[in-house]
Amino acid sequence: MRIALFGYGKMGQMIAQVALKRGHEIVAKIDENSENIDFSTMDVAIDFSMPEAAFGNITKCLDNNVPIISGTTGWLDKYDDAITLCNEKKGAFIYASNFSLGVNIFFELNNYLAKMMQNLPEYNVELEEIHHTQKLDAPSGTAITLAEGVIANSNYKQWKLDSASKETLKITSKRIGAVPGTHTVAYDSIVDSIEIKHTAHNREGFALGAVTAAEWIIGKTGVFSMRDVLNLG
């Protein structure tokens, strides 16, 4: 499989390593906006670029009939536009706030726990995410996905960074050292607490998930998620 990488920072480099180990070819490493891109060499593209570049990269790939996997966060105000374009072009597109296979299992666990807790108002819920100091956006896309899972299965109406109320779910973001990513969902009452937590030990899990998604999407048409890739229902 011929893979093009949009964004060649730490994640892009790790994805390249994983892809090569799995027998794929890296045909392009695009780290800045460029008008001279040969899309005919690509079977699939993986985007881990900057928030301001992501939608443009996705658009270019869909316009050129290249399936695109995007793990860039911070651009989701244009997500609906990406879906519309994908459907118009009959392309193939996957966005995930986190491609880690373990995190996507964690998303399902979070949804299930939220359903179990929705009729127990004595428990307050808070989310915490910790990442490396080079991560620009806060809260993380993963934390937002977790918050959305809780909101969909509870009486919370919205999430806010560092702010809580009866209808507002609090997300705390911390930037510490070189932490790859730690996410905790905590239910707390006056009598006890329940926590679920995912801790990434390195970036390889994210890279493996992205390459797995790229392998899966070949030959398909539509907008998909990691739930589809992992056949989670």
Side-chain angles (χ1 to χ4, degrees):
M1 186 170 67
R2 301 173 300 169
I3 301 174
L5 300 176
F6 285 82
Y8 200 63
K10 292 180 180 179
M11 268 305 302
Q13 294 169 35
M14 181 63 72
I15 288 168
Q17 292 176 25
V18 171
L20 291 171
K21 286 179 183 177
R22 293 171 73 89
H24 304 306
E25 179 184 0
I26 305 300
V27 294
K29 301 170 184 176
I30 303 157
D31 211 14
E32 296 179 1
N33 289 332
S34 174
E35 300 300 322
N36 301 312
I37 301 171
D38 186 359
F39 289 92
S40 68
T41 65
M42 310 171 190
D43 294 318
V44 64
I46 300 176
D47 174 79
F48 274 83
S49 59
M50 301 295 287
E52 61 271 18
F55 182 69
N57 295 337
I58 293 164
T59 298
K60 290 174 185 176
C61 289
L62 293 173
D63 282 341
N64 287 276
N65 198 32
V66 175
I68 174 72
I69 309 297
S70 179
T72 305
T73 58
W75 66 276
L76 292 185
D77 56 325
K78 295 183 178 179
Y79 179 70
D80 289 343
D81 294 334
I83 291 176
T84 299
L85 181 62
C86 182
N87 290 330
E88 287 176 352
K89 297 291 184 177
K90 295 181 171 55
F93 171 51
I94 293 175
Y95 165 76
S97 59
N98 193 314
F99 277 94
S100 161
L101 306 183
V103 161
N104 282 277
I105 299 298
F106 189 62
F107 287 154
E108 295 299 306
L109 179 60
N110 175 63
N111 293 342
Y112 187 69
L113 179 58
K115 291 175 185 176
M116 293 176 65
M117 301 297 291
Q118 64 183 347
N119 294 319
L120 298 171
E122 60 267 34
Y123 287 88
N124 295 314
V125 192
E126 290 192 4
L127 277 68
E128 179 185 81
E129 58 98 347
I130 307 172
H131 280 88
H132 52 87
T133 54
Q134 293 181 334
K135 184 170 179 60
L136 301 178
D137 56 317
S140 67
T142 301
I144 293 172
T145 299
L146 290 167
E148 290 172 344
V150 173
I151 291 167
N153 295 288
S154 70
N155 293 321
Y156 287 99
K157 305 298 183 185
Q158 61 183 349
W159 61 264
K160 284 189 177 180
L161 192 62
D162 299 324
S163 178
S165 70
K166 186 176 181 180
E167 294 186 344
T168 301
L169 177 62
K170 179 181 178 181
I171 301 178
T172 301
S173 292
K174 297 179 180 178
R175 298 292 174 260
I176 301 173
V179 175
T182 300
H183 294 84
T184 305
V185 184
Y187 290 79
D188 188 57
S189 77
I190 61 172
V191 296
D192 60 11
S193 299
I194 301 170
E195 289 188 1
I196 55 174
K197 181 177 182 180
H198 179 273
T199 302
H201 299 307
N202 53 55
R203 298 172 187 270
E204 189 168 349
F206 310 136
L208 175 60
V211 175
T212 300
E215 294 168 345
W216 181 89
I217 205 171
I218 296 296
K220 295 181 174 64
T221 300
V223 178
F224 304 101
S225 71
M226 285 300 286
R227 296 186 81 240
D228 300 305
V229 176
L230 298 176
N231 195 28
L232 294 176

